[in-house]
């Protein structure tokens, strides 16, 4: 009797991207598959179902080569660096790990407000890598990350606790940057003293200006502070009763060294203030009339935090903070610089004295005799609410609920980041069966539901409509996937709280409102809405997604399959008018692939897989640089389509969204090669890619052997048990030169149509061989808004000119065109370099090659003369007002059965142009005569 599907197996079956068989770690150390997604368990709305990454292995070729580069990166990158921001936020020790920087670090764009997202991407990459290879190293890394995130969530639910580190004399208290922790002292700490000395040891770890060592005050009007750095980068002490303009101050002369202990002291008495650094007086102010007594009672008495809310929290360690009710002498300050206060002639501070030698808890004992125990606090309060998990506090989520406009320096897509973490955890659970990952994921959604379910509908609609700040990525998809295993009504209800009604309703009505929208903010929303259709049966979700897809393809699509310019969409059918250096954000292609396959699960429209092939074989492959790197995944953010553009594989400051999705893409190239009919009656071959499918439900293996697209065909070899089903072979829309199929050497009858599937039904047995031949033709695709701006394809391969010129190249292609309309005769193959050609001395190469060569993805079509078969008529090629030339109109009739059919087309077109006054009869006769005298390739 077969064992029931586990909760994890259900997730694998139902997840749009994961949607794969469950894995368990067998005693052999190999990944063992549970029932496949093509079997029971997928959403009932799916009429075809995907196979798992472990069911499809990649064979040698470009996909395996690109994946190897990413797998090496996944094996070698220290995951503790990714965990650093999470641990810091929770106040946990980071083990000296250095955060990746860029978007994933506090110094990155918008103050690092997106940090944590990249960790989610990395978890997904590891999960896919493990499922695709079975290598234990990836499971071990997942275990490390899930264990650490479990500790982080637990720490966020507790009051902060001291991190004890080695100090100048003994133990010290460390404040990790990003923990937002500070020490809160009782109100009586200054005691109204008219003379005072502050003495403290610090070891700063960051050089941010205006970080406070201490700040005692009520607000930004009445206070005194010691800053580790002012705007000039040197220590500053100041006291005021009238705000910043009335400060009486002392400025140091040199920056405090980072990661080294420094002793600072300030004395005030008799109108004179003195600042000491490491026992040396570095500043003196003889007009310092203000003392603590002048400030009166103060409510905020902090170490490490400023009364100015925009100032950063101190990052570093404290030891030996003493306050004396008198001004110590220079000699006494020198003693404190050499030894503990308890061992100096001064003794401990009589107003307050903290050694910071505690090793646990969040309280610091006062040794002054006054009993002024201090406490460790977080600037955002806390503990966090149950289930919350992030690399920053809940503050961004709170701010978003009242926000009416975008400001990513304050709030940068917190629910987008939550999605990446949630998805990474679900993928980790799917791959390794680690219940901790599921518990973290479920807890996150419980927390989100508890927060969002209390908000009015109008508030939610406003939030989700805000650019950037309200972006939530594919969170609906992930929540639906979670719901399939938890069955919690709250989780399904949570998914529906992300309905953006204005967008859904417009797209369901097929009203195009995409102009001006941020592309990647909206594409993944629709994958989630399709999953909501699966869970609820509400037709508007599926209809809106279907119509939305049609608004992008082809109306806002570049030849490589990408979309967006400067991350946004412009008006429908404007392509040439949007081309720039910041076109085709890589995330957009990633998410359009996900949406395409999700729609295909419901409706097997060949256009979805045609698009999938286009974007995968061109933009997605070309977005990954063809070289190894331990530090970075080397993936593009934008792909500029301007003339002479050089791709940037280390974009922005690093750890961007596109590098994250790039890591995912490169570890799941095989996810859509094969699908199975939901009832097991058919196998879809969607992509021609070297691979081996193990269809456990049928007991069948299918090995696809090919060098496609270098090879213009593929061979499928069957193994395993005998099984009856229909083999559905995709006939690409570009396959106009024929599509021929043989089984065991015998031709299969039928008429394959480009842009369809060709069926071969039989009882398959081991050793059966299917050979598919699909010859390539070379063609152009014209920009929808400028027919003269074109991009070149050879079969599915987008060819780009490698040339440093910064103006569009002028290219002619008709002169040697064949009767079929194939433009290949105009190109000369480069020996030893498959899919490389030359044309007029310029090399053309596949876009998919991840090089740093300057390229031209689009060129200006220039056919100045009417030429047939290399024979020049001597007649200029006339054009209509819309840019359509005589040759364009002639060759639009291709393919031609024979030369006679071509000449007849030439004659009828010439007659029409002469009648319209676009061509003289004399020139028309020359054109017809030249066409008749020329020789043509097929």
């Amino acid at each position: 009797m077969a064992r029931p599907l586990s909760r994890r197996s259900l997730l694998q079956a139902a997840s749009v991207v994961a949607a794969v068989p469950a894995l368990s770690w067998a005693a052999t150390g190999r990944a063992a598959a549970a029932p496949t997604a093509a079997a029971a368990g997928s959403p009932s709305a799916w009429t075809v179902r995907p196979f798992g990454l472990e069911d499809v292995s990649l064979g040698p070729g470009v996909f395996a080569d690109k994946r190897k580069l990413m797998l090496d990166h996944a094996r070698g990158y220290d995951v503790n660096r990714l965990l650093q921001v999470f641990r810091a936020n929770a106040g946990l020790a980071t083990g000296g790990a250095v955060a990746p920087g860029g978007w994933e670090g506090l110094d990155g764009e918008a103050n690092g407000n997106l940090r944590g997202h990249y960790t989610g991407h990395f978890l997904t990459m590891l999960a896919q890598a493990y499922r695709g290879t079975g290598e234990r190293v990836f499971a071990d890394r997942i275990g490390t990350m899930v264990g650490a995130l479990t500790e982080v969530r637990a720490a966020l639910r507790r009051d902060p606790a001291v991190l004890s580190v080695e100090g100048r004399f003994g133990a010290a208290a460390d404040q990790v940057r990003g923990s937002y922790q500070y020490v809160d002292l009782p109100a009586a700490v200054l005691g109204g003293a008219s003379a005072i000395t502050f003495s403290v040891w610090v070891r700063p770890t960051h050089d941010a200006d205006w970080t406070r060592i201490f700040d005692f005050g009520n607000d930004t009007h009445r206070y005194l502070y010691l800053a580790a750095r002012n705007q000039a980068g040197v220590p500053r002490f100041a006291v005021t009763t009238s705000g910043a303009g009335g400060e009486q101050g002392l400025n140091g002369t040199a920056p405090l060294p980072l990661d080294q202990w420094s002793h600072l002291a300030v004395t005030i008495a008799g109108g004179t203030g003195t600042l000491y650094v490491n026992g040396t007086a570095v500043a003196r102010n003889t007009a310092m009339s203000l003392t603590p007594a002048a400030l009166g009672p103060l409510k905020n008495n902090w170490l490490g935090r400023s009364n100015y809310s925009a100032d950063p929290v101190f990052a570093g360690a404290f030891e030996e903070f003493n306050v004396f009710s008198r001004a110590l002498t220079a000699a006494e300050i020198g003693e404190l610089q050499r030894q503990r206060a308890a061992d100096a002639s001064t003794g401990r501070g009589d107003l307050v004295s903290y050694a910071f030698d505690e090793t646990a808890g969040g309280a610091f004992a006062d040794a002054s005799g006054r009993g002024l125990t201090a406490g460790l606090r977080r600037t955002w309060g806390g503990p966090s609410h149950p289930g919350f998990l992030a690399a920053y506090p809940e503050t961004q989520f709170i701010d978003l609920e009242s926000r009416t406009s975008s400001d990513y320096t304050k709030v940068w897509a917190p629910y987008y980041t939550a999605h990446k973490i949630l998805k990474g955890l679900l993928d980790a659970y799917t791959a390794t069966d680690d219940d901790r990952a599921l518990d973290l994921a479920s807890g996150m959604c419980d927390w989100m539901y508890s927060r969002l379910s209390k908000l009015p509908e109008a508030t939610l609609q406003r939030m989700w409509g805000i650019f950037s700040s309200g972006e939530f990525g594919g969170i609906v998809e992930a929540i639906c996937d979670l719901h399939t295993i938890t069955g919690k009504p709250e989780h399904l209800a949570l998914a529906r709280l992300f309905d953006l009604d204005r967008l859904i309703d417009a797209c369901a009505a097929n009203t195009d409102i995409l102009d001006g929208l941020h592309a990647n903010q909206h594409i993944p929303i629709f994958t989630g809405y399709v999953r909501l259709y699966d869970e609820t049966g509400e037709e508007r979700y599926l209809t809106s997604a279907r119509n939305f897809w049609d608004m992008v393809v082809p109306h806002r699509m570049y030849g490589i399959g990408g979309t967006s310019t400067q991350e946004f969409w412009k008006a429908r059918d404007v392509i040439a008018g949007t081309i720039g250096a910041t076109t085709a954000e890589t995330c957009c292609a990633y998410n359009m692939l996900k949406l395409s396959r999700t729609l295909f699960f419901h409706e097997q429209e060949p256009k979805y897989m045609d698009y999938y092939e286009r974007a995968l074989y061109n933009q997605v492959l070309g977005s990954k640089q063809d070289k190894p790197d331990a530090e970075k995944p080397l993936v593009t953010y934008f792909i500029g389509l301007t003339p002479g553009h050089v791709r940037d594989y280390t974009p922005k400051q690093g750890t961007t969204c596109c590098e994250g999705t790039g890591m995912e893409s490169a570890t799941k190239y095989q996810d859509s090669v094969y699908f199975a009919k939901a009832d097991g009656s058919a196998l879809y071959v969607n992509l021609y890619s070297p691979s081996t499918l193990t269809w456990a439900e049928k007991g069948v293996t299918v090995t696809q052997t090919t060098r496609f697209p270098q090879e213009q065909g593929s061979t499928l070899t069957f193994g395993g048990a005998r099984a009856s089903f229909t083999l559905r072979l995709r006939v690409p829309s570009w396959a106009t030169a024929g599509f021929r199929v043989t089984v065991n050497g015998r031709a299969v009858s039928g008429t394959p149509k480009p842009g369809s599937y060709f069926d071969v039904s039989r009882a398959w047995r081991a050793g059966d061989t299917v050979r598919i031949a699909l010859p390539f033709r070379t063609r152009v695709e014209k920009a929808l808004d400028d027919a003269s701006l074109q991009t070149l394809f050879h079969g599915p391969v987008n060819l780009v000119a490698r040339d440093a010129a910064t103006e569009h190249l002028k290219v002619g292609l008709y002169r040697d065109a064949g009767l079929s309309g194939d433009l290949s005769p105009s190109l000369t193959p480069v020996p030893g370099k498959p899919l490389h050609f030359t044309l007029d001395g310029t090399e053309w190469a596949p876009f998919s090659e991840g090089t740093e060569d300057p390229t031209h993805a689009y060129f200006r079509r220039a056919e100045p003369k009417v030429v047939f078969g290399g024979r020049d008529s001597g007649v200029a090629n006339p054009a209509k007002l819309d840019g359509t030339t005589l040759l364009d109109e002639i060759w639009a009739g291709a393919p031609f059965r024979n030369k006679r059919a071509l000449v007849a087309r030439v004659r009828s077109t010439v007659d029409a142009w002469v009648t319209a006054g676009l061509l003289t009869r004399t020139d028309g006769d020359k054109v017809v005569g030249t066409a008749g005298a020329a020789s043509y390739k097929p």
Side-chain angles (χ1 to χ4, degrees), residues 578-747:
T578 64
I579 287 176
T582 54
T583 41
E585 183 185 350
T586 303
C587 276
C588 293
Y590 165 89
N591 280 308
M592 282 299 295
L593 290 184
K594 290 186 70 175
L595 178 59
S596 298
R597 78 191 295 263
T598 306
L599 288 169
F600 192 88
F601 294 155
H602 298 83
E603 301 166 343
Q604 288 72 65
E605 292 283 349
K607 66 182 180 181
Y608 295 133
M609 284 298 116
D610 272 348
Y611 173 81
Y612 201 98
E613 178 188 68
R614 174 193 294 267
L616 179 65
Y617 277 78
N618 294 293
Q619 174 160 4
V620 173
L621 276 180
S623 68
K624 173 71 186 86
Q625 190 172 17
D626 297 331
K627 76 174 189 179
D629 194 286
E631 175 68 14
K632 295 180 179 296
L634 299 182
V635 176
T636 58
Y637 190 99
F638 295 118
I639 292 184
L641 300 176
T642 49
H645 179 79
V646 177
R647 290 175 216 167
D648 180 3
Y649 301 98
T650 55
K652 296 180 178 280
Q653 297 169 314
T655 60
T656 62
C657 55
C658 292
E659 289 164 284
T661 54
M663 293 189 300
E664 295 184 31
S665 290
T667 48
K668 67 179 184 72
Y669 288 136
Q670 73 270 40
D671 74 343
S672 297
V673 177
Y674 309 99
F675 293 152
K677 195 75 174 174
D679 60 5
S681 64
L683 176 68
Y684 286 77
V685 180
N686 302 311
L687 301 172
Y688 298 104
S689 175
S691 55
T692 296
L693 166 67
T694 300
W695 192 358
E697 182 185 15
K698 295 286 189 182
V700 168
T701 63
V702 179
T703 300
Q704 186 174 173
T705 306
T706 182
R707 291 181 296 109
F708 187 92
Q710 296 180 15
E711 176 186 353
Q712 299 181 20
S714 189
T715 300
L716 305 178
T717 304
F718 287 77
R722 177 171 177 154
S724 297
F725 56 88
T726 298
L727 186 67
R728 307 208 69 195
L729 304 170
R730 188 175 67 88
V731 186
S733 58
W734 50 262
T736 57
F739 185 91
R740 296 179 292 279
V741 179
T742 63
V743 176
N744 299 330
R746 302 181 65 177

Side-chain angles (χ1 to χ4, degrees), residues 64-83:
D65 293 343
K66 297 254 187 183
R67 185 180 72 163
K68 180 181 183 303
L69 293 171
M70 197 62 78
L71 292 177
D72 288 344
H73 176 72
R75 294 185 190 99
Y77 194 85
D78 182 4
V79 296
N80 288 297
R81 296 185 62 189
L82 298 168
L83 295 166

Side-chain angles (χ1 to χ4, degrees), residues 821-845:
D822 186 8
L823 302 175
S824 297
S826 297
L827 304 176
T828 303
V830 177
K833 298 176 72 175
L835 297 174
H836 283 238
F837 305 89
T838 58
L839 174 62
D840 293 336
T842 298
E843 183 174 2
W844 295 70

Side-chain angles (χ1 to χ4, degrees), residues 187-198 216 224 237 239 241 266-272 288-298 301 322-328 349-352 370 372:
V189 63
L190 297 182
S194 57
I196 201 160
T197 297
F198 299 95
F216 304 135
L224 65 79
F237 173 84
V239 57
T241 57
V266 176
T267 65
I268 303 175
T272 297
M288 187 165 281
S289 60
L290 296 175
T291 66
L295 298 179
L298 302 174
N301 300 276
N322 288 275
V323 182
F324 301 84
S325 60
R326 65 185 179 89
L328 301 186
D350 62 316
L351 290 181
V352 79
R370 300 177 68 202
L372 299 179

Side-chain angles (χ1 to χ4, degrees), residues 6-357:
S6 68
R7 292 181 302 168
R8 180 170 60 93
S9 300
L10 288 171
L11 172 62
Q12 289 175 309
S15 168
V16 172
V17 173
V20 294
L23 285 173
S24 60
W25 187 256
T28 60
R30 298 285 297 174
T36 68
S42 296
S44 60
W46 291 4
T47 50
V48 300
R49 297 167 184 175
F51 291 94
L53 296 176
E54 54 281 307
D55 293 328
V56 183
S57 60
L58 286 177
V62 62
F63 290 110
D65 293 343
K66 297 254 187 183
R67 185 180 72 163
K68 180 181 183 303
L69 293 171
M70 197 62 78
L71 292 177
D72 288 344
H73 176 72
R75 294 185 190 99
Y77 194 85
D78 182 4
V79 296
N80 288 297
R81 296 185 62 189
L82 298 168
L83 295 166
Q84 194 273 349
V85 289
F86 285 88
R87 287 169 167 153
N89 182 52
L92 297 175
T94 61
V98 178
W103 286 11
E104 200 70 3
L106 287 165
D107 296 316
E109 189 172 349
N111 310 310
N113 281 344
L114 209 68
R115 61 190 182 278
H117 81 113
Y118 196 77
T119 300
H121 286 298
F122 204 93
L123 263 175
T124 291
M125 173 181 66
L126 291 176
Q128 292 175 170
Y130 177 49
R131 290 172 49 214
T133 67
E135 291 184 31
R136 183 67 192 184
V137 61
F138 300 121
D140 290 343
R141 310 195 107 212
I142 291 170
T144 296
M145 296 182 74
V146 170
L149 293 175
T150 301
E151 294 172 357
V152 164
R153 186 180 69 174
L156 288 170
R157 286 288 297 140
R158 301 189 299 263
D159 288 325
V162 64
L163 288 179
S164 182
V165 296
E166 184 179 352
R168 178 69 173 77
F169 303 110
D174 196 23
Q175 304 288 78
V176 176
R177 183 166 182 245
S179 67
Y180 301 96
Q181 293 180 173
Y182 66 99
V183 181
D184 188 25
L185 279 58
V189 63
L190 297 182
S194 57
I196 201 160
T197 297
F198 299 95
S199 170
V200 64
W201 280 95
V202 293
R203 186 187 65 192
T205 57
H206 189 252
D207 60 359
D209 294 344
W210 298 115
T211 54
R212 300 296 201 266
I213 295 173
F214 60 76
D215 194 333
F216 304 135
N218 283 332
D219 45 36
T220 58
H221 184 77
R222 182 180 295 269
Y223 54 78
L224 65 79
Y225 68 79
L226 175 60
R229 293 172 59 92
N230 63 5
Q231 78 279 4
V234 298
R236 174 175 171 81
F237 173 84
V239 57
T240 183
T241 57
S242 56
E247 287 185 0
Q248 298 176 5
L250 298 162
N251 292 320
T253 57
L256 297 181
L258 298 182
D259 300 310
Q260 296 181 31
W261 285 101
S262 295
H263 179 257
L264 293 95
V266 176
T267 65
I268 303 175
T272 297
T274 306
L275 172 64
Y276 296 85
V277 177
N278 292 325
T280 300
V282 297
R284 180 169 284 108
N285 185 341
T286 58
M288 187 165 281
S289 60
L290 296 175
T291 66
L295 298 179
L298 302 174
K299 65 179 181 180
N300 301 326
N301 300 276
W302 297 328
L303 300 184
R305 182 180 181 183
S306 171
N307 275 284
Y308 286 84
S309 60
D311 289 341
V313 178
F314 177 80
F318 288 102
E319 186 179 12
E320 286 279 313
F321 179 68
N322 288 275
V323 182
F324 301 84
S325 60
R326 65 185 179 89
L328 301 186
T329 66
E332 288 174 319
I333 298 296
E335 283 189 72
L336 295 177
Q337 196 268 332
R338 295 188 297 272
Q339 57 193 319
R340 293 177 182 272
D343 300 327
S345 63
T346 61
R348 294 183 180 274
D350 62 316
L351 290 181
V352 79
S353 178
Y354 302 109
F356 291 115
D357 56 3

Side-chain angles (χ1 to χ4, degrees), residues 326-661:
R326 65 185 179 89
L328 301 186
T329 66
E332 288 174 319
I333 298 296
E335 283 189 72
L336 295 177
Q337 196 268 332
R338 295 188 297 272
Q339 57 193 319
R340 293 177 182 272
D343 300 327
S345 63
T346 61
R348 294 183 180 274
D350 62 316
L351 290 181
V352 79
S353 178
Y354 302 109
F356 291 115
D357 56 3
E358 289 81 359
T359 58
F364 301 105
D366 171 26
S368 71
R370 300 177 68 202
L372 299 179
T373 301
L376 194 61
R377 304 284 185 265
R378 297 183 176 105
T379 60
W380 46 270
S384 63
H385 293 93
F388 176 73
L389 176 63
Y392 47 70
E394 293 181 67
T395 48
Q396 287 198 66
F397 297 92
I398 296 168
D399 188 323
L400 178 62
E401 292 168 9
S402 59
R403 181 164 291 280
T404 57
S405 61
S406 176
D407 182 352
Y408 81 149
T409 67
K410 299 291 192 300
V411 177
W412 192 2
Y415 285 97
Y416 170 95
T417 297
H419 162 242
K420 301 309 174 188
I421 298 169
L422 174 63
K423 184 65 170 63
L425 290 168
L426 286 173
D427 289 337
Y429 173 68
T430 301
T432 65
D433 212 11
D434 189 332
D435 284 334
R436 297 175 301 173
L438 178 60
D439 182 63
L440 289 170
S442 185
M444 287 183 70
C445 288
D446 292 343
W447 170 80
M448 282 187 273
Y449 180 73
S450 70
R451 176 149 225 116
L452 296 176
S453 61
K454 296 179 176 65
L455 299 178
E457 176 66 20
T459 299
L460 293 172
Q461 294 299 319
R462 171 180 49 75
M463 286 165 54
W464 307 144
I466 299 174
F467 160 61
S468 184
S469 296
E471 183 175 355
F472 56 82
I475 200 166
V476 176
E477 173 198 12
I479 296 169
C480 288
D481 289 348
L482 176 66
H483 176 251
T484 63
I485 53 173
T486 66
K488 293 179 68 170
E490 295 84 359
H491 290 166
L492 182 57
L494 171 63
R496 301 185 71 155
L497 292 175
F498 289 92
D499 281 5
L500 183 53
D501 289 334
R502 179 180 63 86
L503 183 68
I504 297 172
D505 294 343
C507 290
N510 207 18
T511 301
D512 190 331
I513 62 168
L514 302 191
D515 185 7
L517 293 184
H518 185 268
N520 198 52
Q521 180 166 344
H522 293 87
I523 299 170
I525 291 177
F526 286 97
T527 302
Y529 290 158
V530 178
R531 287 290 288 116
L532 261 178
Y533 166 77
D534 297 337
E535 297 295 305
T536 67
E538 289 193 25
E539 192 68 34
R540 74 175 187 135
Y541 291 125
L542 180 61
T543 301
S544 65
R546 182 194 303 120
N547 291 342
F548 166 81
W549 191 93
D550 287 331
M551 294 172 194
V552 178
V553 182
H555 303 289
R556 293 175 172 89
M557 181 192 74
Y558 302 110
I560 58 174
T563 186
S564 79
T565 180
Q566 293 181 312
E567 302 190 11
F568 287 81
W569 282 309
K570 302 300 182 184
R572 186 182 181 104
D573 294 330
V574 177
I575 300 299
T578 64
I579 287 176
T582 54
T583 41
E585 183 185 350
T586 303
C587 276
C588 293
Y590 165 89
N591 280 308
M592 282 299 295
L593 290 184
K594 290 186 70 175
L595 178 59
S596 298
R597 78 191 295 263
T598 306
L599 288 169
F600 192 88
F601 294 155
H602 298 83
E603 301 166 343
Q604 288 72 65
E605 292 283 349
K607 66 182 180 181
Y608 295 133
M609 284 298 116
D610 272 348
Y611 173 81
Y612 201 98
E613 178 188 68
R614 174 193 294 267
L616 179 65
Y617 277 78
N618 294 293
Q619 174 160 4
V620 173
L621 276 180
S623 68
K624 173 71 186 86
Q625 190 172 17
D626 297 331
K627 76 174 189 179
D629 194 286
E631 175 68 14
K632 295 180 179 296
L634 299 182
V635 176
T636 58
Y637 190 99
F638 295 118
I639 292 184
L641 300 176
T642 49
H645 179 79
V646 177
R647 290 175 216 167
D648 180 3
Y649 301 98
T650 55
K652 296 180 178 280
Q653 297 169 314
T655 60
T656 62
C657 55
C658 292
E659 289 164 284
T661 54

